[in-house]
């Protein structure tokens, strides 16, 4: 048999698939649909191994479901707006559009070389006006529906990139790209009112049973629903222009451990007092340097300013607490005011330890001596019973919370209850304004007479001007000479276009819906198509998108439902987050990173040494880390595909680790995959030679033929089940098992000049089955094998075979035998043996006899298929 040559075979089969439009999905197909989607790539330049892994997995599911008779939707597009294009424009003087479309062309070619079963006729790019015009339309529809807001907000301002940063883009108080210290600014911004769906977005997570538990948890934490109590503390003086301060607490049970009350730096009480106190003014100004990011606030030293005000404890008129302005209290959360209970909250404890306010524990862990329970440096936030808390003593936390809420709700001061239960969310509205060129223009016109005026439908899309300059810092749309100057659509007076563009997360919040009918011009979606294909049955992508992208998409889907663009709540029925591709790192003597291609590894036993390929200089082998350009431990998919073929790359990606774990890319691993490609090809070739093609099934099968048929049908059954649960590495293992069985059967028949008819049949059947089993993973090789076997049509078009249930039955099973509850022996019995037969085997078993030591058996209890209990 000639060696398999992927360089010839792979492009050939891709051309056949393309010519037959094998992967184009018709919207009028009446078969049940299945929507497989991998998170679409940002066109950064070239695909990386992470893409290869992500798309290889999606392709297995797509090809498998297609073979199972579904009308599979498996599209691809480009998340094409974003900052890197503008950075490239600045550095390389190339227009963002040009840069983006060049990258798309390169990456499309690369993806095509992987042999993915994608419907390229649906390809879209979010930077294309044919896409973003619909996004503008939906922005305006959301505005009408009350889901868009314009309000001032504190933002993280990057003074170098001159843009607003999301909290996640602030790392240790610095801009993620520029590294410049972030400043806080107040800007008028556009917001999507995601908080309108806070409760729904929280509750619906419980129904997403095909999502990873950890992702659901991350979303829950982000939404941050909490049940608490609003409590009005009376103030002893009205020096701040008010006689009370209202706090929000989730721990009303700890009220008797309160040591202070604190308000945010921009709380009205702080502002009122600051008017008369320059020291307080200075303190408030200082608080602004911390940034708006939660992380930064958590890390910053807890600082306070004693206002001199005293707040009265709600359960004791003679007990007053100092009122501070504190840097760790946020105006945007709850009421912007808290009471601090240091014994049970770390922030409060750090605070009192600094200002000498003391602490009194009010919850003691179950079983500890309350008198001996003290808190010093670490707050206790665990479970327990109330202590030092008057009428609450002895109650559980839950009981105490309830009791405090009940009492304060029924206590009336000035016509209002002192306490009121309240559900709070950590989730904030989604600020979508970006002061950037390469994004979707916000379709609004500002008129001094009419205010903010939506761009009329007929004038959509608002397209980006081409002739922009990146020489000046700031937003090129803002300093374009003409673009922003327009007439007001309402009154005709000179007006100004909104120059902010949308956060690129908006672009990726609905692309999955657009794929269902990407050709449509009249509206963003066709409801028939959306209803047919959504929700996405299987979404696959990186866990780094577990919070924002998925949450925004979930919001968008709800907003699209409200505005008639979709009819469902949850866009992704199944979600899978794949692990990363990691690789060893290498360093030269001078500390420079060295590319894997320049390192030769010598192995002696478990000892591995690295040498420079050219100079022979020693290279230090470093830890295994995520492939990244900065550490030069990347392997270029193009190189791998060029030397081994796409199938080998795909096979290795799928074979080595469970798909949710990291996979370590190694040369040896890839070579192993390449050897398997040749091995399978050789086996198929031998089978073709020996059997001379498909034969009729003989009436009887001998033991050898039966064993092979069983191996084949078992593998078939197992691979199907494991693809369904995305356990691709296990699928690979089943294929190996089957190829071994095929190899053995061929070896056993090697002596015979003429194959027995039953063995010939079994070999050909097993060859056809193994070909179909590898087809979702190594589609090109599978076509070549299919063709060699003389099978009709393409394997890419063939229906998934059905395993014969008779061949799946286990012949024999092994049961543990217990004597008075202790395992003493094992017996092997026919799988269909009845209780009486099993009992007989157990009685006769030598090990059982030995263990009996002459005692008589009183009773034998057989749990069929599980265990046997012998009672003596
Ligand atoms: C008293 C208390 C005692 C608290 C205790 C906690 C532990 P979650 O669960 O995230 O909703 N808090 C309330 N508003 C705040 C604000 N604007 N800025 C900073 N902290 C604020 O958090 C609710 C808890 O965070 C509240 O419960 C409050 O402190 C604090 F042993 O009240 B707690
Ligand atoms: Zn006007």
């Amino acid at each position: 048999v000639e060696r398999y040559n992927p360089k010839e075979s792979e492009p050939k089969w891709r051309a056949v698939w393309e010519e037959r439009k094998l992967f184009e999905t018709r919207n009028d197909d009446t078969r049940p649909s299945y929507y497989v989607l991998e998170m679409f790539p940002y066109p950064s330049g070239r695909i990386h191994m992470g893409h290869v892994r992500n798309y290889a997995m999606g392709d297995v599911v797509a090809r498998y479901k297609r073979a199972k008779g579904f009308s599979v939707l498996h599209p691809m597009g480009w998340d094409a707006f974003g900052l890197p294009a503008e950075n490239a424009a600045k550095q390389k003087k190339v227009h963002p559009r040009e840069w983006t479309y060049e990258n798309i062309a390169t990456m499309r070619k690369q993806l095509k070389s992987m042999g993915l079963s994608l419907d390229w006729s649906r390809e879209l790019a979010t930077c294309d006006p044919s896409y973003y015009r619909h996004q503008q339309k939906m922005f305006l529809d959301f505005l009408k529906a009350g889901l868009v807001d314009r309000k001032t907000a504190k933002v993280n301002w990057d003074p170098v990139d001159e843009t607003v940063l999301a909290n996640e883009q602030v790392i240790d108080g610095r801009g993620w790209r520029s590294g410049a210290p972030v400043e806080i600014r107040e800007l008028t911004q556009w917001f999507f009112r995601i908080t309108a769906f806070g409760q729904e977005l929280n509750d619906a997570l419980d129904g997403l049973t095909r999502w990873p538990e950890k992702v659901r948890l991350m979303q829950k934490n982000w939404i941050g629903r909490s049940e608490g109590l609003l409590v009005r503390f009376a103030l002893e003086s009205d020096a701040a222009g008010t006689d009370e301060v209202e706090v929000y607490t989730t721990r009303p049970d700890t009220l008797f451990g309160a040591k202070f009350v604190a308000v945010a730096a921009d709380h009205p009480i702080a502002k009122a007092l600051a008017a008369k106190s320059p020291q307080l003014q200075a303190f408030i100004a200082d608080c602004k340097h911390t940034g708006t990011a939660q992380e930064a606030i958590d890390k910053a030293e807890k600082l306070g300013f004693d206002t001199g005000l005293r707040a009265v404890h709600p359960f004791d008129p003679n007990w007053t607490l100092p009122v501070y302005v504190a840097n760790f209290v946020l105006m945007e959360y709850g009421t912007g005011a808290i009471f601090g209970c240091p014994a049970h909250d770390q922030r409060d404890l750090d605070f009192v330890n600094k200002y000498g306010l003391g602490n009194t524990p009010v919850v003691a862990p179950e079983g500890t001596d309350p008198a001996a329970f003290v808190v010093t440096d670490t707050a206790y936030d665990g479970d327990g019973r109330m202590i030092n808390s008057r009428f609450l003593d002895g109650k559980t936390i839950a009981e105490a919370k309830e009791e405090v809420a009940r009492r304060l709700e029924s206590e009336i001061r000035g016509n209002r209850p002192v306490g009121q239960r309240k559900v709070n969310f950590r989730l904030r509205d989604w600020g979508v304004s970006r002061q950037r060129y390469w994004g979707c223009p916000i379709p609004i016109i500002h008129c001094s007479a009419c205010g903010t005026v939506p761009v009329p439908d007929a004038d959509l899309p608002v397209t980006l001007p081409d002739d922009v300059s990146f020489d000046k810092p700031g937003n090129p749309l803002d300093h374009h000479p003409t673009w922003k100057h327009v007439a007001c659509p309402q009154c005709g007076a000179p007006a100004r276009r909104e120059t902010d563009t949308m956060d690129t997360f908006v672009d990726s919040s609905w692309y999955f819906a657009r794929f269902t009918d990407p050709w449509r011009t009249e509206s963003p979606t066709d409801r028939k198509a959306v209803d047919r294909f959504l929700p996405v049955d299987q979404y696959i992508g990186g866990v780094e998108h577990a919070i924002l992208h998925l949450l925004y998409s979930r919001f968008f889907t709800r907003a699209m439902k409200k505005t008639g663009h979709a009819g469902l709540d949850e866009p992704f029925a199944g979600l899978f987050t794949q692990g990363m591709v990691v690789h060893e790192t290498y360093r030269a003597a001078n500390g420079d990173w060295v590319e894997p291609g320049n390192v030769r590894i010598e192995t002696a036993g478990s000892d591995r040494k690295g040498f420079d390929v050219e100079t022979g200089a020693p290279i230090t082998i470093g830890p295994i880390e995520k492939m990244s350009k900065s550490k030069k431990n990347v392997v270029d998919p193009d190189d791998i595909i060029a030397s081994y073929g796409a199938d080998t790359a795909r096979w290795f990606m799928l074979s080595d680790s469970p798909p949710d774990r990291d996979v370590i890319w190694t040369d040896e691993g890839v070579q192993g995959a390449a050897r398997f490609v040749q091995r399978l090809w050789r086996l198929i070739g031998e089978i073709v030679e020996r059997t001379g093609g498909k034969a009729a099934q003989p009436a009887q099968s001998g033991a050898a033929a039966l064993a092979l048929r069983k191996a084949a049908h078992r593998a078939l059954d197992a691979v199907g089940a494991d693809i369904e649960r995305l356990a691709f590495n296990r699928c690979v293992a089943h294929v190996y098992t089957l190829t071994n069985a095929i190899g053995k059967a061929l070896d056993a028949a090697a002596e015979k000049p003429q194959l027995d008819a039953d063995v010939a049949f079994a070999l050909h059947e097993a060859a056809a089955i193994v070909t179909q089993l590898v087809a979702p993973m190594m589609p090109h090789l599978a076509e070549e094998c299919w063709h060699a076997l003389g099978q009709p049509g393409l394997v890419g078009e063939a229906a998934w075979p059905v395993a014969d249930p008779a061949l799946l039955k286990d012949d024999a099973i092994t049961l543990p035998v217990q004597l008075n509850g202790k395992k003493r022996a094992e017996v092997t019995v026919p799988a269909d043996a009845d209780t009486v037969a099993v009992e007989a085997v157990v009685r006769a078993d030598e090990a059982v006899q030995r263990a009996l030591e002459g005692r008589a058996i009183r009773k034998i209890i057989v749990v069929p298929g599980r265990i046997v209990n012998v009672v003596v």
Side-chain angles (χ1 to χ4, degrees):
V1 184
E2 251 179 76
R3 278 181 71 76
Y4 175 71
N5 183 355
K7 279 192 197 108
E8 247 170 50
S9 167
E10 292 191 350
K12 177 183 73 189
W13 290 112
R14 285 200 293 273
V16 174
W17 300 331
E18 198 169 321
E19 200 219 332
R20 295 225 201 160
K21 301 189 193 306
L22 215 56
F23 310 124
E24 289 188 15
T25 311
R26 296 181 52 122
N27 281 13
D28 60 2
D29 196 323
T30 53
R31 293 173 301 165
S33 72
Y34 193 93
Y35 191 171
V36 191
L37 186 65
E38 299 97 49
M39 291 178 183
F40 68 162
Y42 176 76
S44 56
R46 305 179 59 75
I47 65 167
H48 53 68
M49 279 300 176
H51 293 126
V52 174
R53 191 171 193 207
N54 192 188
Y55 301 137
M57 288 180 189
D59 203 42
V60 173
V61 178
R63 286 178 180 270
Y64 170 75
K65 289 289 177 182
R66 202 172 283 116
K68 292 286 269 186
F70 290 91
S71 165
V72 171
L73 178 57
H74 188 209
M76 182 55 74
W78 311 97
D79 189 10
F81 273 137
L83 215 50
E86 279 184 65
N87 291 341
K90 281 184 192 153
Q91 284 154 18
K92 299 183 196 147
K93 306 268 171 246
V94 26
H95 195 279
R97 172 175 293 103
E98 230 174 276
W99 183 84
T100 304
Y101 278 99
E102 266 172 31
N103 289 346
I104 288 177
T106 309
M107 291 171 72
R108 184 194 298 116
K109 194 159 161 263
Q110 289 185 296
L111 287 186
K112 287 198 170 182
S113 76
M114 280 183 67
L116 303 168
S117 66
L118 290 164
D119 182 353
W120 284 102
S121 75
R122 291 174 192 253
E123 180 183 357
L124 58 80
T126 57
C127 65
D128 199 299
S130 67
Y131 181 81
Y132 70 67
R133 69 173 301 158
H134 300 293
Q135 193 162 301
Q136 294 174 337
K137 166 78 174 133
M138 284 196 285
F139 179 94
L140 296 176
D141 286 351
F142 291 2
L143 182 66
K144 262 188 238 147
L147 294 171
V148 174
D149 242 358
R150 188 168 148 79
K151 54 187 177 185
T152 62
K154 274 188 247 168
V155 294
N156 302 299
W157 179 259
D158 186 319
V160 170
D161 272 346
E162 299 198 24
T163 190
V164 174
L165 298 175
N167 278 341
E168 312 69 59
Q169 295 174 323
V170 179
I171 294 152
D172 296 332
R174 289 167 182 275
W176 66 325
R177 279 183 192 281
S178 70
V182 166
E183 297 164 10
I184 298 299
R185 285 201 183 176
E186 291 251 6
L187 283 187
T188 308
Q189 306 254 295
W190 291 98
F191 284 83
F192 281 137
R193 290 192 50 232
I194 190 169
T195 53
F197 296 104
Q199 184 72 55
E200 266 186 54
L201 289 168
N202 179 73
D203 295 351
L205 287 168
D206 294 330
L208 296 176
T209 51
R210 291 210 296 119
W211 279 39
E213 188 59 46
K214 66 165 189 245
V215 174
R216 288 194 274 165
L217 197 68
M218 286 159 89
Q219 296 236 336
K220 281 225 159 155
N221 289 338
W222 189 263
I223 296 167
R225 180 186 188 276
S226 65
E227 288 174 6
L229 197 67
L230 295 170
V231 183
R232 295 160 59 210
F233 281 72
L235 292 174
E236 274 192 334
S237 97
D238 61 1
T242 171
D243 60 359
E244 65 174 33
V245 53
E246 190 173 38
V247 307
Y248 175 71
T249 177
T250 49
R251 294 294 305 273
D253 54 304
T254 65
L255 253 178
F256 288 106
K259 292 294 171 191
F260 65 93
V261 165
V263 300
D266 36 6
H267 191 280
I269 286 180
K271 283 188 183 159
L273 294 175
K276 288 170 260 165
S277 160
Q279 292 102 311
L280 180 51
Q281 262 170 43
F283 177 78
I284 291 172
D286 266 358
C287 290
K288 307 246 181 235
H289 291 317
T290 318
T292 64
Q294 187 63 49
E295 204 196 346
I297 291 164
D298 289 346
K299 272 192 198 150
E301 190 190 1
K302 309 291 170 278
L303 296 175
F305 183 94
D306 188 352
T307 62
L309 292 176
R310 309 281 307 180
V312 183
H313 195 281
F315 284 123
D316 187 343
N318 298 319
W319 179 359
T320 64
L321 302 161
V323 178
Y324 279 80
V325 177
N327 68 344
F328 65 94
V329 182
L330 309 171
M331 195 54 220
E332 291 74 21
Y333 189 67
T335 61
I338 64 158
F339 80 81
C341 175
H344 305 291
D345 183 293
Q346 193 59 46
R347 293 168 303 180
D348 298 348
L349 186 61
D350 295 346
F351 191 78
V352 295
N353 285 346
K354 186 169 169 74
Y355 294 106
L357 303 175
N359 79 73
T360 307
V362 290
V363 179
E366 205 84 46
T368 52
D369 173 8
F373 184 63
V374 289
V375 165
T376 48
D377 291 331
T378 310
Y380 177 69
D381 61 3
D383 243 340
R385 298 238 172 217
M386 304 311 298
I387 56 169
N388 303 327
S389 294
R390 306 187 193 179
F391 55 85
L392 298 176
D393 282 352
K395 289 188 190 303
T396 64
I397 292 176
E399 287 162 358
K401 279 183 179 170
E402 183 56 34
E403 180 65 18
V404 169
R406 206 181 51 76
R407 288 196 185 214
L408 293 183
E409 267 175 341
S410 53
E411 184 170 328
I412 305 296
R413 193 171 70 229
N415 283 334
R416 284 202 300 136
V418 172
Q420 192 190 331
R421 290 175 215 250
K422 174 112 205 277
V423 171
N424 240 323
F425 291 90
R426 199 157 277 290
L427 185 65
R428 299 280 82 114
D429 279 335
W430 173 16
V432 295
S433 289
R434 297 291 180 272
Q435 293 64 45
R436 287 277 148 204
Y437 166 70
W438 196 232
C440 171
I442 293 175
I444 293 286
I445 290 164
H446 299 279
C447 168
S448 51
C450 314
T452 54
V453 182
V455 171
D457 272 5
D459 296 346
L460 293 182
V462 177
T463 52
L464 291 169
D466 269 331
D467 52 336
V468 279
S469 121
F470 294 90
D471 298 340
K472 281 185 248 174
N475 182 355
L477 290 178
D478 214 27
H479 20 82
H480 189 278
T482 55
W483 187 77
K484 69 178 172 187
H485 303 294
V486 285
C488 168
Q490 261 169 37
C491 72
R496 185 178 58 80
R497 238 184 234 299
E498 173 65 71
T499 54
D500 285 354
T501 52
M502 291 184 215
D503 179 4
T504 58
F505 271 115
V506 180
D507 313 337
S508 54
S509 290
W510 71 284
Y511 76 109
F512 49 88
R514 183 68 186 166
F515 273 139
T516 64
D517 184 353
W519 308 281
R520 191 171 179 81
T521 53
E522 317 83 284
S523 56
T525 57
D526 169 37
R527 275 297 299 277
K528 270 207 313 292
V530 163
D531 291 349
R532 168 160 175 74
F533 290 112
L534 288 184
V536 174
D537 294 282
Q538 186 62 62
Y539 197 33
I540 308 180
V543 75
E544 66 274 18
H545 295 300
I547 298 179
L548 291 184
H549 162 57
L550 294 171
L551 195 61
Y552 292 155
S553 300
R554 298 179 63 217
F555 158 75
F556 232 84
T557 306
R558 284 172 164 76
M560 286 172 76
K561 183 180 180 188
K562 201 165 170 197
T563 50
H565 296 295
L568 79 171
D569 292 320
E570 287 296 334
F572 311 121
L575 173 72
F576 187 81
T577 52
Q578 93 267 3
M580 293 184 302
V581 185
V582 297
H583 194 288
E584 269 180 342
T585 48
Y586 308 104
R587 274 181 191 250
N590 64 2
D592 285 355
W593 302 102
V594 183
E595 286 170 27
N598 293 333
V599 181
R600 177 171 49 81
I601 306 279
E602 274 179 22
T603 321
S606 62
D607 198 40
R608 297 172 72 246
K609 286 206 172 84
F611 300 94
D612 189 300
V613 171
E614 272 165 30
T615 64
I619 299 280
T620 312
I621 301 180
I624 295 169
E625 293 184 59
K626 176 182 176 172
M627 283 190 181
S628 82
K629 282 196 190 118
S630 63
K631 296 193 174 142
K632 292 200 178 169
N633 63 338
V634 286
V635 176
D636 188 351
D638 263 2
D639 295 345
I640 298 296
I641 292 174
S643 33
Y644 297 98
D647 285 341
T648 295
R650 294 171 56 134
W651 186 253
F652 173 60
M653 272 300 185
L654 296 165
S655 66
D656 222 46
S657 319
D660 55 337
R661 307 266 182 77
D662 291 351
V663 60
I664 306 173
W665 186 274
T666 62
D667 266 357
E668 300 83 67
V670 182
Q671 283 156 16
R675 275 196 304 276
F676 179 71
V677 167
Q678 296 301 338
R679 167 141 198 259
L680 187 62
W681 176 242
R682 221 166 35 241
L683 287 179
I684 298 291
E686 280 177 43
I687 289 173
V688 171
E689 257 170 34
R690 296 244 33 205
T691 61
K694 190 170 176 163
Q697 182 169 8
Q700 295 289 324
S701 281
L706 200 60
L708 181 56
R709 293 201 67 208
K710 282 190 168 170
H713 283 253
R714 280 200 195 126
L716 169 56
D717 187 54
V719 167
D722 278 330
I723 292 179
E724 300 272 3
R725 62 175 87 104
L726 310 180
F728 308 114
N729 59 318
R730 296 177 49 129
C731 297
V732 168
H734 301 311
V735 169
Y736 281 140
T737 309
L738 175 54
T739 33
N740 284 341
I742 294 174
K744 270 198 201 128
L746 273 174
D747 287 348
E751 316 286 277
K752 299 207 173 178
Q754 180 69 43
L755 279 184
D756 295 335
D758 59 344
V759 172
F761 173 81
L763 275 171
H764 195 274
E765 182 191 46
I769 286 176
V770 78
T771 299
Q772 285 202 268
L773 296 187
V774 300
M777 303 169 231
M778 299 196 282
H780 312 89
L781 172 67
E783 290 294 1
E784 202 69 53
C785 294
W786 194 251
H787 180 72
L789 285 166
Q791 296 287 89
L794 298 171
V795 71
E797 277 176 324
W800 195 253
V802 181
D804 180 348
L807 294 168
L808 297 180
K809 274 210 207 119
D810 264 323
D811 316 311
I813 48 170
T814 302
L815 301 175
V817 181
Q818 293 191 341
L819 231 70
N820 286 353
K822 267 204 180 138
K823 190 181 162 204
R824 297 290 190 192
E826 274 180 358
V827 291
T828 300
V829 294
D832 51 3
D834 61 11
T835 314
V836 181
V838 175
E839 270 193 49
V841 175
V842 169
R843 282 178 198 282
D845 189 79
E846 257 182 54
V848 173
Q849 285 300 331
R850 263 201 311 280
L852 278 174
E853 291 170 339
R855 289 168 295 178
I857 292 175
R858 274 209 286 158
K859 198 158 69 173
I860 296 183
I861 306 154
V862 179
V863 186
R866 301 281 306 280
I867 198 169
V868 183
N869 281 304
V870 179
V871 186
V872 295

